[in-house]
């Protein structure tokens, strides 16, 4: 058998080297592409509080005046898991929802977690309700914007108990969270009006309802909202 000369061997080695480098480069590129394709997706609920955590930020029984006690039927939360969010604002909102404790539902948005309860006076039947809802991304700001739109479309609604007209007035409010909006409900058939406040704090929206006092529940509603917003910040810091 004839063997290639030393010169021929050198030429053959020179020709093989670029092919080897090309193959190596190709393999490296494939590996990098595969690693990029397998990059894990971001957890959509990362950094959001669960219902169990939100519950801790609600004002305790000691916050409320003597005579007020929690209504067990209105105390609930979403626990330690998250639920699927949804958004379906109605073109024509159901204005009567403003007369209930979970009145933020008028916006058509549902968050991934929540906590709420309701305190009622055994002596006067005055009502103070508190709720926190958590949303993904920038949805909390959208909730606030859609709340204003809903109130603008609800100048009045009919009270189911007295069958009389309830007047609805809304206004931006400063000093409570990132943004806040106050709604006042009045009716000549009522002894006192109702104050509703929604306050955005990051991805959370705090909502309160108050008929306490002689000022349509305004002072208590503002004090309670401020208390919850402060507690929420502390809860996020500890999470």
């Amino acid at each position: 058998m004839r063997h290639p000369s030393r010169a021929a061997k050198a030429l053959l080695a020179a020709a093989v080297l670029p092919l080897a480098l090309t193959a190596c480069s190709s393999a490296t590129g494939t590996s990098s592409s595969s690693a990029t394709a397998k990059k894990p997706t971001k957890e959509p609920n990362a950094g959001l509080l669960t219902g169990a955590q939100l519950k801790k930020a609600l004002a305790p029984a000691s916050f409320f005046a003597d005579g007020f006690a929690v209504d067990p039927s209105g105390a609930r939360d979403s626990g330690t898991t998250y639920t699927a969010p949804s958004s379906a604002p109605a073109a024509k909102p159901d204005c009567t929802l403003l007369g209930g404790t979970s009145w933020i539902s008028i916006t058509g948005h549902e968050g991934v977690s929540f906590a709420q309860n309701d305190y009622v006076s055994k002596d006067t039947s005055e009502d103070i309700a508190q709720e926190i809802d958590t949303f993904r991304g920038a949805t909390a700001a959208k909730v606030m914007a859609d709340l204003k739109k809903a109130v603008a479309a609800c100048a009045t609604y009919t009270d189911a108990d007295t069958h009389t007209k309830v007047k609805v007035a809304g206004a931006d409010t400063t000093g409570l969270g990132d943004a806040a909006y106050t709604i006042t409900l009045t009716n000549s058939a009522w002894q006192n009006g109702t104050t509703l406040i929604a306050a955005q704090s990051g991805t959370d929206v705090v909502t309160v309802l108050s008929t306490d006092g002689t000022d349509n529940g305004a002072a208590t509603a503002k004090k309670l909202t401020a208390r919850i917003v402060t507690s929420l910040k502390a809860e996020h810091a500890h999470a």
Side-chain angles (χ1 to χ4, degrees):
M1 178 183 285
R2 293 182 63 182
H3 296 280
S5 66
R6 186 175 298 175
K9 289 182 178 178
L11 288 172
L12 180 61
V16 171
L17 182 59
L19 292 175
L21 290 174
T22 300
C24 181
S25 176
S26 176
T28 301
T30 302
S31 176
S32 177
S33 176
S34 176
T36 301
K38 294 180 180 179
K39 185 177 181 180
T41 57
K42 183 180 179 181
E43 165 56 48
N45 298 319
L48 303 182
L49 298 179
T50 65
Q53 292 170 311
L54 295 174
K55 182 179 179 180
K56 297 177 184 178
L58 293 175
S62 58
F63 171 89
F64 302 89
D66 292 340
F68 279 89
V70 70
D71 176 4
S73 66
R76 50 188 180 272
D77 62 80
S78 54
T80 58
T81 60
Y82 298 98
T83 59
S86 65
S87 294
K92 186 177 181 181
D94 180 1
C95 302
T96 62
L97 290 173
L98 294 173
T101 54
S102 294
W103 54 270
I104 195 63
S105 61
I106 196 173
T107 64
H109 297 282
E110 291 188 13
V112 298
S113 57
F114 78 94
Q116 68 182 86
N117 61 36
D118 187 16
Y119 281 78
V120 180
S121 171
K122 63 182 180 180
D123 301 319
T124 64
S125 296
E126 291 174 324
D127 196 6
I128 306 173
Q130 55 181 341
E131 180 175 345
I132 311 170
D133 293 89
T134 296
F135 303 87
R136 292 177 182 171
T139 305
K142 181 76 167 109
V143 171
M144 298 298 292
D146 286 343
L147 176 59
K148 293 182 183 181
K149 292 178 183 178
V151 171
C154 294
T156 63
Y157 70 88
T158 301
D159 176 34
D161 294 328
T162 62
H163 304 290
T164 53
K165 290 291 183 182
V166 178
K167 293 182 179 180
V168 181
D172 288 320
T173 306
T174 60
L176 295 172
D178 301 324
Y181 192 69
T182 299
I183 304 165
T184 304
L185 310 177
T186 55
N187 186 331
S188 59
W190 297 347
Q191 291 184 339
N192 192 31
T194 303
T195 294
L196 314 175
I197 298 180
Q200 178 198 351
S201 180
T203 55
D204 307 313
V205 175
V206 175
T207 49
V208 304
L209 174 155
S210 173
T211 64
D212 179 42
T214 58
D215 59 350
N216 298 325
T220 297
K222 188 171 184 179
K223 182 181 178 181
L224 177 57
T225 304
R227 168 68 167 71
I228 301 172
V229 168
T230 299
S231 296
L232 266 177
K233 292 179 179 178
E235 195 60 40
H236 274 285
H238 295 153

